[in-house]
Amino acid sequence: MTESSANKPANGQVCHRVKNGVKPGRNGFIKNHHHYHHQQPMYCYPEDKVQHTTCNGSSGLGLYSRPFIESFEETPMLVAVLTYMGYGILTIFGYLRDFLRDWKIERCHVAREREEQRDFVPLYQDFENFYTRNLYMRIRDSWNRPICSVPGAKVDLVERVSPDYNWTFDYTGKVVEGVINMGSYNYLGFAENTGYCADASAEVTMKYGVGVASTRQEMGNLDRHEEMEELVAKFLGVESAMAFGMGFATNSMNIPALTGKGCLILSDELNHASLVLGARLSGSTIRVFKHNNMQSLEKMLRDAIVHGQPRTHRPWKKILILVEGIYSMEGSIVRLPEVIALKKRYRAYLYLDEAHSIGALGPGGRGVVDYFGLDPRDVDVMMGTFTKSFGAAGGYIGGRKELLEYLRSHSHSAVYAASMSPPVVEQIIASMKCIMGEDGTTLGRDRVQQLAENTLYFRRRLTEMGFIIYGNNDSPVVPMMLYMPAKIGAFGREMLKRNIGVVVVGFPATPIIESRARFCISAAHTKDMLDTALSVISEVGDLLQVKYSRHKRLIYDQIQD
Amino acid sequence: MAFEDVWKKISWLYYQYILVTALYMLEPWERAIFNSILISVAGMAVYTGYVFMPQHIMAILQYFEMVQ
């Protein structure tokens, strides 16, 4: 923790430390903090990764037209030690319980082999499920909660109790109504059962039915599908687009069609399971670069081009970079301008997964490409899902016409999967038209603006309260750190007691000590709802003592961009 | 009234202890085992200190030649 001159703030302005020790000045960082950093508070913890990247457009070196503010505050040492201690105690008790189950002192609820087959090759890997049996089961009531209404801004939950510590659940028959929903990926509020989109879907169900009973290639290509794909292509600004029934399947079935043996895939450290599965199924060589780290990516690209394939040193057939628009566990936004600059320089291809960012970022709601003001033709494969912002289900891929024609015949998902259901297609068409403004109202634009305002307000208030919040200031996914295993369960339960539904995440979706609660802001949340939620979060935060942030944040004005 | 506040404060402190040591997730009998082990170890430490502290203090003072 030495204070070098690079770390000390210059005449009272913000001190920033460039990630990974590279000297500031590369990659388009311009140290031009004058015009708005005066209002920002001073926080000088050199070990924290707080990034302030600004760009003065006239300088020519700048790739970012707006400030890119991300923060990933480091785990406090005491909290980390106590978290490990907590996991240690749970592990010891887990061993004790496993011993009791093994010796039949306690009844075993997990899947076991039959007595007669005890000496066969084991079917159930007992130790791998140690975590599930002994840690997850104890707080399982925070997950898989059944919902019995539309998951809009408020949702109804089915009440359930467990007589035997979450191994089984009983339904009391009551319904918890009006729970404020901070967990659904409902960014633009299109998950609703009234309104233009719902009426259009209902009409189409009356005309086409619900099932299509075929694949796209055989007899399942409806005119609604064609219209939807044209609309998606127009929305994204690409030549052509194609939709699939499932977002996970879009990634995992199309990446094998794009790359094969002899190709190189450079994938971000924190990519989603669907991207990882697609990359592994393709059979290409996979190299992982550090999360959102452009120096690491550039080094890997250079190594790949200089050294070629591992043993033969032949050049790679193609190099594909896999990134996501918003990483949902971190709330960070990809550094797209730099990735595109690198891709063009080293002649690689870019696959951008906009599952969470489409509809949620950008002035027109067109995703992360719109947010940075870039050209959609620079991204070779633009993938996204309809589940999050459009209130439907499914995924799409957009790109050049030749790519899409190839995918229509070579992708597993296109050839074998059943077509999308007509009401879902109609929901996509209606919501997309609404966002683009083609239905004649300003509803779409209002929602996009409302989401941006809600996001800024919510994040600002949470950081003021003293919680550790990860991610970019503009991302509607807000992860709030909890760290300790008992606080995961306690947070979920206490919030539900106070009528707020949140999603808490632990291992293995996150690193073992970095468990978090993840809030998803929606345009359907009114300011009153957000205020209620914030006061409850503050109350529960005080009760559980999760306000870990060591930065004394002052209340500062928002920077209008 | 004061007893209520004290009781609430102690209750909150116990809740924090339960959360930090992850006993919150354990069943009551497991908590009983952990608490009894902890209290017995702490009790033994206090007892040992009580019995041996005078001897240790005299030894330190003799080392520093403050008392013969």
Side-chain angles (χ1 to χ4, degrees), chain A residues 97 138 165 486 543 545, chain B residues 16 19 24-25 27-28 30:
Chain A
R97 296 294 291 268
R138 296 183 190 269
Y165 298 101
L543 178 65
Q545 295 285 296
Chain B
Q16 294 309 307
L19 281 176
Y24 177 89
M25 292 164 66
E27 297 176 22
E30 290 167 329

Side-chain angles (χ1 to χ4, degrees), chain A residues 120-369:
Chain A
F120 290 15
V121 172
L123 267 182
Y124 305 109
Q125 299 283 7
D126 276 340
F127 189 70
E128 280 177 13
N129 291 331
F130 181 86
Y131 178 84
T132 312
R133 265 199 315 272
N134 294 311
L135 273 77
Y136 174 73
M137 279 295 173
R138 296 183 190 269
I139 45 175
R140 193 163 75 124
D141 57 308
S142 296
W143 291 287
N144 285 340
R145 292 178 183 150
I147 293 177
C148 55
S149 78
V150 67
K154 292 204 176 177
V155 71
D156 299 338
L157 296 179
V158 180
E159 200 182 359
R160 53 185 189 167
V161 292
S162 175
D164 54 356
Y165 298 101
N166 296 341
W167 287 99
T168 58
F169 288 104
D170 290 329
Y171 297 106
T172 58
K174 288 203 283 253
V175 166
V176 183
E177 295 193 357
V179 173
I180 296 182
N181 187 357
M182 305 295 298
S184 291
Y185 304 134
N186 184 18
Y187 299 130
L188 290 177
F190 280 112
E192 50 194 7
N193 53 0
T194 53
Y196 169 64
C197 302
D199 292 338
S201 307
E203 259 181 60
V204 156
T205 314
M206 292 301 144
K207 185 173 171 208
Y208 289 90
V210 176
V212 185
S214 181
T215 66
R216 287 291 293 279
Q217 286 199 345
E218 291 169 13
M219 194 76 138
N221 195 12
L222 306 176
D223 57 346
R224 309 308 293 153
H225 290 124
E226 299 280 330
E227 188 183 331
M228 173 189 60
E229 290 183 352
E230 271 171 48
L231 195 61
V232 170
K234 190 165 154 214
F235 181 74
L236 297 171
V238 292
E239 283 176 29
S240 172
M242 184 181 172
F244 306 91
M246 187 175 155
F248 190 99
T250 310
N251 271 333
S252 49
M253 298 291 122
N254 284 308
I255 297 177
L258 294 173
T259 59
K261 282 178 96 84
C263 304
L264 176 65
I265 291 186
L266 294 174
S267 144
D268 189 291
E269 202 179 17
L270 298 175
N271 267 341
H272 190 252
S274 55
L275 290 164
V276 172
L277 182 63
R280 286 184 189 165
L281 280 176
S282 69
S284 322
T285 313
I286 308 175
R287 298 208 180 138
V288 172
F289 63 93
K290 296 207 188 73
H291 176 60
N292 233 359
N293 186 337
M294 297 300 117
Q295 286 83 18
S296 171
L297 177 59
E298 182 168 13
K299 181 170 189 303
M300 287 204 173
L301 278 166
R302 290 174 83 97
D303 283 343
I305 291 175
V306 163
H307 296 293
Q309 298 192 26
R311 277 180 294 275
T312 56
H313 294 293
R314 282 193 214 142
W316 294 101
K317 282 196 211 149
K318 57 180 102 118
I319 302 180
L320 184 67
I321 306 175
L322 293 182
V323 285
E324 289 188 39
I326 292 184
Y327 292 91
S328 65
M329 280 302 151
E330 307 282 309
S332 55
I333 299 182
V334 66
R335 295 171 179 278
L336 198 59
E338 294 175 50
V339 173
I340 288 187
L342 280 174
K343 160 197 116 85
K344 283 184 178 161
R345 187 169 170 201
Y346 293 102
R347 308 262 188 94
Y349 295 102
L350 180 60
Y351 185 106
L352 178 66
D353 177 345
E354 288 205 84
H356 286 269
S357 53
I358 191 78
L361 284 184
R366 313 239 170 164
V368 68
V369 170

Side-chain angles (χ1 to χ4, degrees), chain A residues 86 89-90 93 97 135 138 165 485-486 490 493-494 543-545, chain B residues 12 15-16 18-22 24-30 34:
Chain A
I89 293 174
L90 286 171
F93 276 100
R97 296 294 291 268
L135 273 77
R138 296 183 190 269
Y165 298 101
R493 288 176 195 159
E494 295 291 327
L543 178 65
L544 264 55
Q545 295 285 296
Chain B
W12 183 80
Y15 187 63
Q16 294 309 307
I18 289 272
L19 281 176
V20 166
T21 55
Y24 177 89
M25 292 164 66
L26 298 178
E27 297 176 22
W29 61 272
E30 290 167 329
F34 185 88

